[in-house]
C-alpha cells in the first residue's frame, strides 16, 4: 500500500510539561477512560477530560497515534507543528507562547489557535496538555485524517480506509443487491494415536462445496433476502444432499425450503432478530478488519485485511446467543454451554479477506470478496465445553468422539456483488400476510 504520508514523528515530549501553568478551570475537570483507534487498531487508552460539557483528549497520545500512520508531528509547548510531506516543515518563526492556548501549523502554515487544558495524566502522573475533541477533529481533517468521537472512543482513519468504511456502509444500505458465490469447507480429523486409522469409523478428510446466490431488497417496507444454497459435493461417500436449499427472510420472519415446499421457521426468528444489524447478510462487518492495506487500479481499489478473532466474537455474540438458546430447547445441553463453545470456536479462528471496491451509481461499493478462515478444535475442549451433557450422548457417538484428537477446518469463499435495480419478490408458496405462530 502506497503511504499517503511519509516520515516519522519527531520531538515527541510529554505534552504540557513545558507549559508552566494550568487553567483555573482544570479543578472542575473529570477524567474518564477512553481509547484512540487508528484504522481499526487500538493504539492508546488515555484518560480524557470532561469540562463544561466538552471532551478533551491528551495531545501526547494523539501524537503517538499520528506516528502510527506516518504523520509527522512536533510539540514545543505553545506550538504544534504537523507535516504531511517527506521534509518536515516548520515556519521561520512562531508566535509568542500563551498559557492555555496552542497554535497549530500544518506544512509550515498557521492553521488555528485553540484552547487547551493542562491536567495530570493518570497513567504517566505528569502534567499533560489536553485539546477539545471538536478542535482536534477539525485540525486532523485539514491534515486529511478523518476522525470521530463516539462512545468513549476517538476513531481515526486514513483516506483509503475511510473509503473502505464508506463502501461497507453504502453496500449495506443499498436498496437492492445480488450476490453469487462459491464456498468450500475442508474438514480434517486428526486421530488419536490410540485409535489407528485402520479401525477408525471416522473419515479423516471431508470436503463440502456449495454455490450460493442471494438477493436483497425491500418487501412491504421490510428488509428481505432470498438465499439459495446448492451443494456441489456430498459430505461422505454414498450420502445424498438436497438439490438446493432456499431461505427467505422478510423482517424478522424466516421460511425454509429443502425441496419439499416452504415452511416457516419460527425457531430461527429470534436468531434473525439478533442479526438485523448485519442485513443484508452479504459481507463481513468492517469493525473486525485489521492490518488494512490497499492498492488501486484504473477503476477499483483492492484491499487486504486480517480478521480479529476477539472482535469477530464480539460482533457475532448476539447471534451466537440466539443460536444457543434456540438449539438447546428440550436438550440436555444448556444454552450457556453452547454459547461458551461457540465463543471458544470464534476466538480460535484466524482469517483473511480480500475486498474489491468500485464506484457503482456514484457510490463506492463492494463488488467482490475472497474470504479464508481457519480454525482448529481440540476434541478435549469440545467435550469440556459440553460438560455433563456429553454423558447423555449415545455410546457410539462417544466412541467416535474419542477417536478424534482435533478437528481442523479450512473454509474459503469467493463472492461477487451487483446492485441492479431488480426488486425482490416473495417466492411462490409463502403467505406473508399471516401472523407467525410462536
Amino acid at each position: 500500500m502506497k503511504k499517503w504520508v511519509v516520515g516519522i514523528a519527531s520531538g515527541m515530549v510529554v505534552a504540557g510539561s513545558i507549559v508552566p501553568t494550568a487553567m483555573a478551570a482544570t479543578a472542575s475537570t473529570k477524567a474518564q477512560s477512553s481509547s484512540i483507534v487508528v484504522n481499526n487498531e487500538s493504539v492508546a487508552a488515555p484518560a480524557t477530560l470532561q469540562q463544561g460539557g466538552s471532551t478533551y483528549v491528551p495531545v501526547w497520545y494523539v501524537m503517538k497515534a499520528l506516528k502510527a500512520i506516518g504523520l509527522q508531528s512536533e510539540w514545543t509547548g505553545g506550538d504544534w507543528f504537523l507535516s504531511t510531506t517527506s521534509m518536515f516543515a516548520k515556519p521561520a518563526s512562531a508566535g509568542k507562547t500563551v498559557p492555555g492556548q496552542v497554535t497549530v501549523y500544518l506544512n509550515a502554515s498557521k492553521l488555528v489557535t485553540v484552547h487547551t487544558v493542562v491536567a495530570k495524566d493518570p497513567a504517566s502522573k505528569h502534567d499533560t496538555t489536553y485539546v477539545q475533541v471538536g478542535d482536534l477533529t477539525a485540525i486532523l481533517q485539514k491534515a486529511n485524517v478523518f476522525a470521530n468521537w463516539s462512545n468513549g472512543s476517538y476513531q481515526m482513519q486514513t483516506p483509503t480506509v475511510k473509503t473502505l468504511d464508506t463502501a461497507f456502509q453504502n453496500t449495506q444500505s443499498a436498496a437492492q443487491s445480488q450476490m453469487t458465490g462459491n464456498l468450500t469447507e475442508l474438514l480434517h480429523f486428526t486421530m488419536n494415536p490410540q485409535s489407528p486409522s485402520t479401525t477408525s469409523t471416522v473419515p479423516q478428510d471431508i470436503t463440502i462445496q456449495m454455490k450460493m446466490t442471494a438477493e436483497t431488497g425491500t418487501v412491504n417496507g421490510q428488509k428481505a433476502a432470498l438465499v439459495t444454497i446448492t451443494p456441489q459435493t456430498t459430505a461422505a461417500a454414498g450420502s445424498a444432499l438436497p438439490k438446493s436449499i432456499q431461505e427467505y427472510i422478510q423482517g424478522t420472519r424466516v421460511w425454509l425450503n429443502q425441496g419439499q415446499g416452504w415452511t416457516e421457521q419460527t425457531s430461527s426468528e429470534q436468531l434473525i432478530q439478533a442479526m438485523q444489524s448485519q442485513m443484508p447478510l452479504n459481507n463481513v462487518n468492517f469493525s473486525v478488519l485489521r492490518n488494512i492495506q490497499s492498492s488501486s487500479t484504473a477503476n477499483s481499489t483492492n484491499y487486504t485485511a486480517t480478521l480479529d478473532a476477539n472482535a469477530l466474537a464480539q460482533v457475532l455474540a448476539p447471534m451466537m446467543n440466539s443460536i444457543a438458546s434456540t438449539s438447546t430447547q428440550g436438550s440436555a445441553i444448556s444454552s450457556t454451554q453452547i454459547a461458551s463453545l461457540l465463543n471458544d470456536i470464534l476466538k480460535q479462528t484466524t482469517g483473511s479477506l480480500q475486498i474489491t471496491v468500485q464506484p457503482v451509481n456514484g457510490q463506492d461499493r463492494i463488488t467482490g470478496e475472497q474470504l479464508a478462515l481457519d480454525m482448529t478444535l481440540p476434541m478435549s475442549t469440545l467435550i469440556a465445553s459440553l460438560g455433563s451433557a456429553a454423558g447423555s450422548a449415545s455410546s457410539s457417538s462417544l466412541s467416535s468422539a474419542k477417536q478424534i484428537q482435533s478437528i481442523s477446518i479450512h473454509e474459503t469463499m469467493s463472492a461477487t456483488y451487483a446492485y441492479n435495480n431488480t426488486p425482490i419478490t416473495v417466492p411462490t408458496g409463502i403467505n406473508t400476510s399471516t401472523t407467525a405462530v410462536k
Side-chain angles (χ1 to χ4, degrees):
M1 174 181 178
K2 182 178 180 181
K3 285 192 173 182
W4 63 280
V5 289
V6 293
I8 59 174
S10 62
M12 290 183 64
V13 296
V14 176
S17 62
I18 303 176
V19 181
T21 59
M23 298 296 291
T26 57
S28 63
T29 59
K30 182 180 180 181
Q32 296 184 352
S33 60
S34 71
S35 62
I36 297 178
V37 179
V38 178
N39 292 341
N40 281 1
E41 300 274 3
S42 181
V43 297
T48 57
L49 297 181
Q50 300 297 317
Q51 178 181 293
S54 297
T55 300
Y56 288 77
V57 180
V59 177
W60 187 86
Y61 293 93
V62 174
M63 293 172 67
K64 179 181 178 182
L66 295 178
K67 180 181 179 181
I69 55 177
L71 185 62
Q72 297 191 86
S73 175
E74 184 177 324
W75 177 271
T76 65
D79 300 304
W80 186 13
F81 303 104
L82 298 171
S83 181
T84 60
T85 65
S86 58
M87 298 296 293
F88 190 76
K90 293 173 61 174
S93 61
K96 183 179 179 181
T97 299
V98 178
Q101 293 183 353
V102 63
T103 301
V104 183
Y105 296 83
L106 177 62
N107 297 330
S109 297
K110 182 177 178 179
L111 196 61
V112 68
T113 298
V114 297
H115 169 68
T116 61
V117 170
V118 177
K120 193 175 294 295
D121 173 28
S124 67
K125 309 303 182 184
H126 292 292
D127 282 346
T128 301
T129 301
Y130 292 73
V131 176
Q132 189 175 344
V133 163
D135 291 335
L136 179 60
T137 299
I139 291 168
L140 295 181
Q141 185 176 11
K142 295 292 185 180
N144 214 18
V145 176
F146 300 89
N148 178 57
W149 174 264
S150 178
N151 298 321
S153 177
Y154 196 57
Q155 304 274 342
M156 299 185 194
Q157 292 178 326
T158 54
T160 52
V161 174
K162 175 64 174 176
T163 299
L164 179 60
D165 190 2
T166 301
F168 267 86
Q169 296 176 39
N170 292 341
T171 297
Q172 298 214 356
S173 63
Q176 292 99 21
S177 70
Q178 301 82 34
M179 180 272 280
T180 58
N182 293 281
L183 183 143
T184 300
E185 281 193 352
L186 304 176
L187 285 74
H188 175 72
F189 296 84
T190 300
M191 312 309 294
N192 279 318
Q194 296 83 359
S195 301
S197 58
T198 54
T199 61
S200 173
T201 59
V202 179
Q204 287 191 262
D205 293 284
I206 295 176
T207 299
I208 302 173
Q209 294 178 306
M210 59 189 72
K211 288 185 176 294
M212 301 175 296
T213 63
E215 304 171 58
T216 67
T218 303
V219 175
N220 296 329
Q222 296 178 310
K223 270 282 192 179
L226 175 62
V227 181
T228 301
I229 300 174
T230 305
Q232 300 297 295
T233 57
T234 55
S239 64
L241 294 177
K243 187 174 182 180
S244 65
I245 301 171
Q246 288 186 295
E247 185 175 49
Y248 177 70
I249 304 166
Q250 182 176 321
T252 58
R253 298 178 67 182
V254 184
W255 290 264
L256 188 67
N257 182 357
Q258 300 186 72
Q260 299 177 343
W262 291 96
T263 57
E264 187 165 3
Q265 305 295 300
T266 55
S267 62
S268 299
E269 291 172 352
Q270 182 181 356
L271 171 61
I272 295 302
Q273 291 175 6
M275 295 175 67
Q276 284 299 297
S277 63
Q278 298 300 309
M279 291 290 279
L281 310 178
N282 62 1
N283 52 49
V284 175
N285 190 292
F286 173 77
S287 66
V288 308
L289 303 183
R290 300 292 184 270
N291 305 315
I292 302 170
Q293 305 290 314
S294 72
S295 61
S296 297
T297 62
N299 63 348
S300 65
T301 303
N302 300 307
Y303 293 86
T304 60
T306 57
L307 304 184
D308 183 277
N310 289 325
L312 186 64
Q314 184 175 1
V315 166
L316 296 180
M319 185 175 68
M320 295 299 99
N321 291 334
S322 294
I323 291 175
S325 62
T326 57
S327 63
T328 56
Q329 294 176 1
S331 171
I333 305 173
S334 71
S335 60
T336 301
Q337 289 171 319
I338 289 293
S340 175
L341 172 61
L342 294 173
N343 190 60
D344 287 343
I345 292 173
L346 286 175
K347 287 186 176 181
Q348 294 184 58
T349 299
T350 61
S352 62
L353 186 67
Q354 296 180 35
I355 307 167
T356 300
V357 172
Q358 294 177 299
V360 179
N361 299 327
Q363 289 186 328
D364 288 321
R365 289 181 180 169
I366 297 172
T367 57
E369 288 181 331
Q370 293 187 35
L371 174 68
L373 289 176
D374 287 279
M375 64 182 74
T376 299
L377 310 177
M379 186 55 65
S380 58
T381 299
L382 183 64
I383 294 176
S385 297
L386 297 178
S388 59
S392 64
S394 67
S395 58
S396 60
S397 297
L398 288 175
S399 176
S400 296
K402 290 178 181 179
Q403 296 177 42
I404 304 170
Q405 187 176 69
S406 63
I407 305 172
S408 298
I409 302 173
H410 176 67
E411 179 178 297
T412 58
M413 186 193 77
S414 61
T416 58
Y417 303 97
Y419 303 90
N420 300 317
N421 187 21
T422 307
I424 189 171
T425 57
V426 180
T428 303
I430 292 179
N431 185 358
T432 61
S433 63
T434 59
T435 302
V437 178
K438 301 295 183 183

